[in-house]
Each structure stands twice: as structure tokens, then as C-alpha cells.
Amino acid sequence: MLGFLKRPVVVKADINLNVVVLTAVALLSRLWQLAYPRAVVFDEVYYGQYISFYMKRIFFLDGSGPPFGHMLLALGGYLGGFDGNFLWNRIGAEYSSNVPVWSLRLLPALTGALLVPMAYQILLELGFSHCAATGAALLMLIENALITQSRLMLLESVLIFFNLLAVLSYLKFSNSQKQRPFSLSWWFWLTLTGVACSCAVGVKYVGVCTYLLVLTVASVHAWHLIGDRTLSHVRVLCHLLARAAALLVIPALMYLLFFYVHLILVYRSGPHDQIMSSAFQASLEGGLARITQGQPLEVAYGSQVTLKNVFGKPVPCWLHSHQSTYPMIYENGRGSSHQQQVTCYPFKDVNNWWIVKDPGRHQLVVSNPPRPVRHGDVVQLVHGMTTRFLNTRSDRQGEELPPLDCLVFQARCGCAPEPPLAGGLLLRRLQHLHALPEPLETGHRKPRIRHGGLEDHLIRGSSGAREHLCGPEAEWGPPPGLGVPAAGGRWGEAVPRLPREHGVERGGTPVRQKPGAEGEGARAALTRTDGRQQKPELHGQVPGAAVEDADGEERRLGAQVQLLAAGLGHPGHQHRLLAAPQDQYSWLRWALAGALCAGGWAVNYVPFFMMEKTLFLYHYLPALAFQILLLPAVLEHLGDRLCRSPLLRSLFSGLVVAWYSCACHVFNTLRPLTYGDKSLSPSELKALRWKDSWDILIRKH
């Protein structure tokens, strides 16, 4: 029962030191002297006000974006013990001692640092080399604009983090789809994709661009699943429902959840109440709630109401009054009634409230039970703040005000791409194929193996003893020692037949001779030491290729070509087998990289390019992040395609190193502007300008 205690508990972990080092350096670059400068910088004056509202539980609603990003910044203030007492009135104002600057800037710095290892992982998931992935991470590390933006109380680094997290999660989900669909990791990465997309939209509305990009790629992959004949209808339906739930339902629910939590946190009346309805204002603590508390839903005598002009579109207009009165004598000498002014006001205000009074009673409160106002009743309107009656005549004699039926009562109460094809591509492609039911006679039309862009002709001779794939050198037949099937039979698992020089007759009869090194390799590939057949280890499981015969029927062609994987057969023929699939894999990899990286740049750049409003540098940073991901991939592709000789490869590598050294020099040159830790003279500041159009402010003491 306690036998498991006799064996040690072993935990194995694979640690990528590249990721560890890159993450550590990124954290150092973002967190170093994070509290400096201890003054309001740029848009911190804008976001700081909302953080103070959260700390004081005062209601606000930012029309420029959803509340999730503001809540994340406020979380830093909450953890740092910020009480919200700071006047965010100007850029450059020194922070008081009660403002935890380091804590408020911590979350943007952490998300900005995590962009570096995420860039590395995205390039790896796309199938590029560790060198290209490291290059993308290093470019993300030394980008001055990204460093500066992530070291302040701003939201751009948080937005980019969720954008890249959505892309990385979907890539990991897509790669899990090829190996273990509906596994725990498959569900985790699919769900995380939807969560990251909703968080990106919740930080800023522009996050919807990346969300739509991921949805588009997922839709294309789902369309390919629909056309996959190896999957049953039920399984295809399960795939579609899982994607719809994770990428549509979960983001929608989370987006609503952001506003729900926001409204729970800010429950007190504040300066933004006027953008909400009167009923909502009445639900807040303080403000109009003190006026409308206990008011009935239905308009009754004693109710406090607002009156809005029905012809006030597109600008609403509420009946409004205040303590100011009309002048006794106008400038032209004409006199007036000197009564209280009544105007039409386009904003919600406490002076918009009126009390409905019964002309026959002096009571200004709602009776119990309430007496509702009916159509045709004569009422008096009393201004709630000044208790003055609304006069139906104007200050100009003979001019009547519009009848009250021009106003309406508004009662306000108190209420999948293809898998990687590296290495033994064709071997894995043909792994699950099954034999044709019978040999084809000479003269029949040739069946064709179809798999994407790969088309290889299969010819079986009239003897039924051999088949040719892409050339006469590769021959197919039963494995040695397994026997030859009878005519019209079927191979259980067909493997490549060895040529004569490898110890097997072309006709199918084994030759008894001492195997050499190559024969030993063949035997090791097919058998175990105990004599049983051993299935060679493959690096991936892929669906079989469909075979269409002369009658249009699709059958499964069986083949196990492990001998080629062991290095047997004609080397030149093996090269021809692997060349075409590698080109196809390169295209599939580039198509996905272009869709996510180049597409990510386009959807985050083009909308701002077409806008006419004033734009800042941070508007282009999400597009810059995707551009950084694309650049090392392009360089690697150019090096592989253009540099065939070792000399050209060395020259190209030297140019890339020189270019990256220049990028590091630019980072170091602009470092004083990035961290602000070094005093520069006016002449030194002007020397940092590359163009005369650059405007660097120089403070004169």
C-alpha cells in the first residue's frame, strides 16, 4: 500500500535560459528608478484623476475608453495605500508624500517588461529559429518609446501586452490543435485567447482591431476544419462550438463584467453624473439621491421631476431656473417684471428639478398613498431649489410662454493551420496511409496523392510487387521477414522495399547475407531486441493524405517509410521527397506570420493613419510592436533564401550584427530622454534632434 514511498519523487522541468535572461533584463530596464521623476508626467495628469475617483468611490465614466485599464492602474494605488487626495491639475506638479508613485507605475512597467519574453515565444510558435526569436526580443527590449511608455502611469504598455498575449495564446492553441485537440492545454490556450482579447478591448477601444484580427485567423482555420473529411460532423460541431464560446461568448461576458465591477466600485455622486440619466443619478449616494429619495415611480402630486423639450434634438434641453432675476430696466430703457430667470439648459443640473403641486393645496411632498397626476389635470410647477412658481407669462407684456404640453414630464424616482513540416515531413505525411485493395494493371490511369500543394504520382506495376514514388529508385513492398501477401491482398503496414544492394531482391525475395551498417540501421528501425516489431519514434502525428483513383473514389494509402528516416534508400531520391513539402511548410509558416504580424501592424496603424484628429506617438506603439515581431522573421527568410554559400551567409550575418549595433547605439544616445536620469545642457538637447521638425522643450531657469 505504501509502495510508492520506496521510489523517489522526481520532478523534471525544462527551463529556457534565453527566456529567463531576457525577462530579467527587461524587468531591470523597466523597473530601474521607477519612481523618478517624482512629478506628474504627460497623461499621468489624466489617468491620475480617475485613480483618485476610484479611491474615493466617486462615480465617473471616461468616454474615451472602457474602465478595465483604469481599474488596473487604480489597483496599484490601492495596493500602495493611496487615499486619492492629490490635485491632478497640471503636468510637472510634484507628487505629495501620500502618493505611492512606484506602486502606481508598477503595473505598466511589469506588462512592458513581459513584452520581451512574449516576443521571443511568438516567433518560436510561428516556427522561426531561436536566433530570430532572440532578435525580436532584443529589439523589443531596447525600443526607447516602449521603455518610456511602460515606466509611466499610462495604458499603452498594458494594451500591447494583452494584444501580444492574445496572439501568443492563439498560436499555442493552434499548435495544440495538431497534437491533442480538446486536451486540458488546448482548452486553456483557447480560453486564454478570448480572455486576452476582451482585456485588450477593455483597456482601450482600439484593442478591438487585434481582436478582429485573431477572430479572422480563427475563422479561416475553422473553415479548414469544416472541409476536413477525416473529422466526423459531431467533432466538427464541437470544434466550432468551443471556438464560439471562447472567442465570442467569453469576451462579451467579460466586457460586461468590467462595467459591472466599475459601477460597484464607484457608487457616490460626482462631477460626471450629468452624462447619466436622472434615474441613475438618483441611485448614487449623495447628489440627486437626496432630492428624489422616496419618490414614486409614477408622477404624483409632490413628485420632483425634470422637464425636457421634445424638440431639443440633437441637443437635449431641460427646463431650468436659478436665483438670478431679469433686470428691472433693459439697456434700451424698457422695463421688465424683475422675476426669476427661466431658461433652457442642455446639461443635467440640480436646478433642472421642479415639484408638481396641486393648486388647491399647499403641500409640496408626496402624500401616502401617492395621488397620481392624470391627463388633463391642472398643476403648478415649483422650482425645487428656490421654491418659486413657474410663471406662464414672459417678462415681455403680451407674450405668452409655450404651453406646458410642449414639454414632457420625465419622472425620476429614487430608484487550423497545417502542422510543421520540418525534418521527415513526407514520412509523417504518409504515416497513417493504408494499402490499396488490389494492384492496378498497366494502362490504368494513375492515382494521385493529394495533400495541399504536394502531388506525387504513384505507379504500381502489373506484377503487384513494386510501386514507384517520385522516381524509379524508391521501391515499395513488404518488410523483410513479414512475408509477401497474396495477389489481390492488402499490406497490413507497407514499408519501403530495399534495393538489391541493401540485401533484398527487387522481386520481393529476401537475400540471406550479412547486413552491413545500413542493414543494421534497417533492422534497428523495424525490430526490437526481443524480435517484436518496433514502431519508430516520430516527431508528430498528422492526418493521412487522400488518394483519388480513376473512378474518383477516395481511399487510404498505407505506408510506413521509416527506412527513409533511418537513412536508407537512394540519398538523391530522399532529397527530392523532402524538397517540395519543405517549400509548402515555408509558405504556410509565412502565411500565418504575415496574417498575425503584418496584419497586426496594418490593423493597428491604418485606422490612425486615416484619422484627422491630433495624434501622439503612443497611438502608433501597438503597430510598432507587431512590426518588431515581423522584422527578424523577414531577415531570417532573406538569409535562408538569398545566402546559399557560406561566404554570403557570413556577410549577411555581419550586416545584421552591424545593423543591430546601430540600434543599440541609438538606444544609448536617446537614453537620457528615456530615463531622465542625466542632466543635459540646451546644446546637448538640441544635438539629439535628427530633424529640425523635432520639438524638444528646453526649460529656462
Side-chain angles (χ1 to χ4, degrees), residues 184-228:
L184 184 61
S185 62
W186 186 90
W187 278 109
F188 173 78
W189 292 116
L190 177 60
T191 305
L192 185 59
T193 302
V195 171
C197 289
S198 62
C199 290
V201 179
V203 172
K204 283 195 171 184
Y205 287 127
V206 71
V208 75
C209 299
T210 304
Y211 178 36
L212 293 178
L213 174 68
V214 174
L215 278 183
T216 302
V217 175
S219 300
V220 174
H221 290 170
W223 180 257
H224 290 165
L225 283 176
I226 295 175
D228 190 349

Side-chain angles (χ1 to χ4, degrees), residues 43 72 78 123 160 204 243 263 274 278 308 361 429 443 462 503 552 556 567 575 600 604 622 630 637 656 690:
D43 273 357
L72 291 178
Y78 174 79
L123 266 292
I160 299 173
K204 283 195 171 184
R243 285 161 172 78
L263 295 177
Q274 63 182 15
S278 299
K308 184 173 69 173
R361 299 187 179 185
R429 284 288 190 207
S462 59
R556 308 281 294 181
H575 175 73
N604 285 281
L630 185 63
H637 180 72
V656 172
W690 291 2

Side-chain angles (χ1 to χ4, degrees), residues 405-696:
D405 56 10
C406 291
L407 302 171
V408 293
F409 285 107
Q410 293 191 338
R412 294 298 179 257
C413 67
C415 39
E418 293 294 336
L421 310 182
L425 159 74
L426 187 58
L427 313 184
R428 300 200 296 273
R429 284 288 190 207
L430 300 178
Q431 179 181 354
H432 296 294
L433 307 186
H434 304 288
L436 292 173
E438 59 184 3
L440 296 177
E441 299 296 334
T442 306
H444 284 200
R445 283 187 292 174
K446 299 175 293 185
R448 175 169 297 178
I449 298 178
R450 302 181 303 155
H451 199 293
L454 173 64
E455 295 187 356
D456 295 312
H457 295 286
L458 176 69
I459 306 174
R460 178 176 293 178
S462 59
S463 64
R466 64 178 182 174
E467 302 167 353
H468 298 274
L469 180 63
C470 294
E473 295 88 348
E475 301 187 3
W476 306 80
L482 297 182
V484 181
R490 156 193 311 264
W491 301 120
E493 281 190 339
V495 298
R497 179 189 300 277
L498 296 178
R500 175 186 291 272
E501 57 269 24
H502 292 296
V504 181
E505 287 284 350
R506 291 182 182 272
T509 304
V511 177
R512 297 182 179 274
Q513 66 179 26
K514 185 177 181 180
E518 294 180 346
E520 292 294 334
R523 184 166 302 178
L526 291 174
T527 60
R528 304 168 63 99
T529 56
D530 57 2
R532 292 179 298 171
Q533 184 178 1
Q534 178 181 6
K535 190 172 182 180
E537 293 185 3
L538 298 178
H539 296 287
Q541 303 290 334
V542 297
V547 177
E548 185 179 41
D549 61 11
D551 300 325
E553 295 180 293
E554 291 198 12
R555 297 188 175 95
R556 308 281 294 181
L557 175 64
Q560 291 285 0
V561 286
Q562 293 91 341
L563 294 182
L564 276 175
L568 303 180
H570 194 283
H573 176 62
Q574 182 180 7
H575 175 73
R576 288 197 299 274
L577 284 176
L578 299 180
Q582 287 293 344
D583 290 340
Q584 184 189 13
Y585 166 62
S586 179
W587 163 249
L588 293 175
R589 180 183 67 172
W590 266 104
L592 185 59
L596 292 177
C597 297
W601 171 85
V603 298
N604 285 281
Y605 177 79
V606 174
F608 291 109
F609 182 80
M610 297 186 297
M611 289 183 182
E612 296 182 357
K613 71 172 188 177
T614 302
L615 298 176
F616 296 91
L617 179 63
Y618 64 80
H619 287 108
Y620 301 101
L621 293 184
L624 175 63
F626 284 99
Q627 184 179 356
I628 290 176
L629 295 178
L630 185 63
L631 187 55
V634 172
L635 291 177
E636 179 177 285
H637 180 72
L638 293 178
D640 293 341
R641 294 293 178 177
L642 300 181
C643 304
R644 300 293 184 179
S645 65
L647 178 60
L648 288 178
R649 288 184 179 274
S650 300
L651 180 60
F652 183 80
S653 300
L655 291 176
V656 172
V657 172
W659 168 78
Y660 186 78
S661 300
C662 294
C664 293
H665 174 69
V666 172
F667 161 73
N668 187 61
T669 302
L670 299 179
R671 183 178 175 277
L673 296 181
T674 303
Y675 292 96
D677 58 340
K678 180 181 178 182
S679 299
L680 298 177
S681 63
S683 60
E684 291 175 328
L685 284 173
K686 292 180 181 179
L688 295 178
R689 296 190 302 179
W690 291 2
K691 295 182 178 180
D692 294 335
S693 59
W694 285 22
D695 188 11
I696 298 180

Side-chain angles (χ1 to χ4, degrees), residues 146-427:
L146 292 178
I147 296 176
T148 303
Q149 204 72 18
S150 62
R151 287 173 50 82
L152 300 174
M153 196 195 313
L154 306 174
L155 290 179
E156 272 60 44
S157 63
V158 183
L159 171 64
I160 299 173
F161 168 79
F162 285 117
N163 283 344
L164 297 191
L165 180 61
V167 172
L168 176 60
S169 301
Y170 183 79
L171 287 174
K172 286 186 172 291
F173 155 74
S174 180
N175 292 332
S176 299
Q177 167 71 25
K178 306 166 192 174
Q179 301 174 2
R180 294 180 299 167
F182 297 103
S183 63
L184 184 61
S185 62
W186 186 90
W187 278 109
F188 173 78
W189 292 116
L190 177 60
T191 305
L192 185 59
T193 302
V195 171
C197 289
S198 62
C199 290
V201 179
V203 172
K204 283 195 171 184
Y205 287 127
V206 71
V208 75
C209 299
T210 304
Y211 178 36
L212 293 178
L213 174 68
V214 174
L215 278 183
T216 302
V217 175
S219 300
V220 174
H221 290 170
W223 180 257
H224 290 165
L225 283 176
I226 295 175
D228 190 349
R229 299 188 180 182
T230 64
L231 299 177
S232 64
H233 295 303
V234 175
R235 197 164 184 84
V236 171
L237 180 61
C238 292
H239 275 288
L240 297 180
L241 291 178
R243 285 161 172 78
L247 301 180
L248 295 176
V249 177
I250 290 180
L253 294 178
M254 287 196 62
Y255 184 78
L256 296 177
L257 179 64
F258 297 151
F259 283 92
Y260 177 78
V261 175
H262 171 76
L263 295 177
I264 290 179
L265 294 177
V266 288
Y267 54 84
R268 293 174 179 168
S269 177
H272 292 187
D273 294 4
Q274 63 182 15
I275 64 177
M276 305 300 291
S277 65
S278 299
F280 181 84
Q281 294 180 55
S283 67
L284 298 175
E285 182 181 302
L288 294 180
R290 295 174 297 180
I291 300 176
T292 60
Q293 188 173 7
Q295 293 290 311
L297 279 175
E298 189 177 11
V299 178
Y301 290 104
S303 294
Q304 302 188 43
V305 299
T306 57
L307 302 168
K308 184 173 69 173
N309 190 348
V310 296
F311 303 107
K313 297 180 180 180
V315 179
C317 183
W318 283 271
L319 188 65
H320 178 92
S321 185
H322 40 251
Q323 292 182 349
S324 301
T325 59
Y326 292 104
M328 296 184 63
I329 300 177
Y330 289 104
E331 295 181 355
N332 58 6
R334 185 176 57 86
S336 73
S337 62
H338 194 55
Q339 293 185 1
Q340 188 170 301
Q341 295 180 358
V342 178
T343 62
C344 188
Y345 196 61
F347 304 102
K348 288 187 177 295
D349 186 82
V350 293
N351 285 311
N352 296 353
W353 288 86
W354 301 82
I355 301 175
V356 180
K357 178 182 177 299
D358 185 350
R361 299 187 179 185
H362 296 287
Q363 187 177 3
L364 294 179
V365 296
V366 179
S367 60
N368 190 13
R371 294 174 52 227
V373 177
R374 303 300 182 185
H375 179 69
D377 288 355
V378 177
V379 298
Q380 289 180 318
L381 296 179
V382 181
H383 189 239
M385 299 300 294
T386 60
T387 66
R388 300 289 296 272
F389 286 92
L390 177 66
N391 196 337
T392 58
R393 298 186 62 88
S394 70
D395 60 324
R396 299 184 181 181
Q397 296 183 1
E399 294 186 9
E400 292 286 345
L401 287 175
L404 288 180
D405 56 10
C406 291
L407 302 171
V408 293
F409 285 107
Q410 293 191 338
R412 294 298 179 257
C413 67
C415 39
E418 293 294 336
L421 310 182
L425 159 74
L426 187 58
L427 313 184

